[in-house]
Amino acid sequence: ISSVTMNTIDKYGFGFELGALGMDRENLNRIIVGGRGHTDYKGFINIIEYINDEWTIVLYEQGNVSEYLGMYGVGMSGNGNYAFAKGRQNSGGSSPTKIYERAANGTWSVIATFTKANYSDLGNNFGYDAEMNYAGDMMVFCNYTDANALIYKNISGTWTKMGNKITSVAYPWACCLDKEGNQVALGSGHSTSGGLEIYEYSKTLTETNGTWERKYYIDQSIQRVAVST
């Protein structure tokens, strides 16, 4: 129905270098696209909105050198008010995942930056995959190398770890949250220990001091996962 020309860092920054794409699921009128710069691995994102019968770039952002911003994954909340751009896994925890929020006037801005320096529980190898829940107030990060996953929630402006670090038997490189953020699916195509796991959150005395309990496991090679919203 229409097209838009992307902003890129250089001539190698798009096409087959496309990192990922995410779209809102309420009005289908907001998209985030991630890619890379060929020579310096800065990475970049475009957030595009359907305004007055055409797709318009409302935010273009480059990462720093070797930051890999958006190169390994992007996503958008179901309501279209939040988005994220993932950095590179196995970066020593320095390649950031940034969370963006859309203000009422349509302006997008960064509200959180996940690195090992800011969130030490993530470790050196976080971010093989990441996903946002429908409301955009929760994130899951899975870690294939260390076989674990962590879930964070935005509580009054502070992203707080929810419950325990999940120790996975599936060496997950794919993850997702359900609409409410109470269940997480982890999947892996590992040749010897791949599988699909589903965990459910059980709260205790406080919202954040709960436990992720495994409710399902199937021993098969899984490369992508999704939970119905």
Side-chain angles (χ1 to χ4, degrees):
I1 56 175
S2 69
S3 63
V4 61
T5 301
M6 302 293 167
N7 290 311
T8 62
I9 294 175
D10 55 39
K11 67 178 180 178
Y12 299 103
F14 200 64
F16 290 107
E17 306 290 351
L18 175 67
L21 180 146
M23 190 176 203
D24 79 287
R25 295 184 293 281
E26 283 192 3
N27 301 305
L28 304 179
N29 61 1
R30 296 169 191 166
I31 298 172
I32 180 171
V33 180
R36 62 176 260 190
H38 183 69
T39 55
D40 53 23
Y41 302 103
K42 291 180 178 180
F44 66 89
I45 63 161
N46 291 273
I47 294 182
I48 309 158
E49 297 189 12
Y50 196 63
I51 303 170
N52 297 326
D53 297 325
E54 64 179 7
W55 291 97
T56 302
I57 296 172
V58 295
L59 177 68
Y60 170 65
E61 181 173 308
Q62 292 183 21
N64 297 317
V65 173
S66 298
E67 196 168 72
Y68 302 90
L69 181 66
M71 180 175 163
Y72 286 87
V74 295
M76 185 167 284
S77 64
N79 57 26
N81 293 324
Y82 298 88
F84 72 90
K86 190 173 76 66
R88 180 177 182 268
Q89 71 277 8
N90 289 355
S91 64
S94 62
S95 184
T97 293
K98 294 184 179 182
I99 312 297
Y100 300 82
E101 182 180 32
R102 186 182 189 273
N105 64 2
T107 301
W108 289 86
S109 59
V110 176
I111 61 168
T113 301
F114 283 88
T115 64
K116 178 186 174 183
N118 297 338
Y119 298 87
S120 59
D121 287 334
L122 289 171
N124 291 333
N125 304 305
F126 84 95
Y128 267 86
D129 193 20
E131 192 54 79
M132 179 176 276
N133 70 332
Y134 194 91
D137 63 348
M138 294 184 71
M139 288 289 300
V140 55
F141 298 94
C142 67
N143 183 330
Y144 169 84
T145 302
D146 299 330
N148 59 44
L150 283 160
I151 295 89
Y152 290 85
K153 184 173 184 178
N154 185 357
I155 301 176
S156 301
T158 300
W159 288 84
T160 305
K161 183 165 68 74
M162 298 292 289
N164 57 298
K165 179 184 289 187
I166 295 174
T167 300
S168 169
V169 300
Y171 289 84
W173 62 34
C175 58
C176 63
L177 287 161
D178 73 340
K179 183 175 182 179
E180 303 301 330
N182 294 322
Q183 295 187 84
V184 59
L186 305 175
S188 173
H190 192 281
S191 59
T192 59
S193 58
L196 170 68
E197 298 176 290
I198 297 176
Y199 289 81
E200 187 173 271
Y201 191 62
S202 298
K203 288 188 288 188
T204 53
L205 296 177
T206 64
E207 181 180 13
T208 59
N209 189 27
T211 303
W212 291 96
E213 300 177 353
R214 192 171 74 176
K215 299 295 184 180
Y216 180 78
Y217 173 67
I218 182 171
D219 183 10
Q220 292 184 2
S221 179
I222 307 293
Q223 295 194 38
R224 299 299 303 170
V225 293
V227 174
S228 170
T229 58

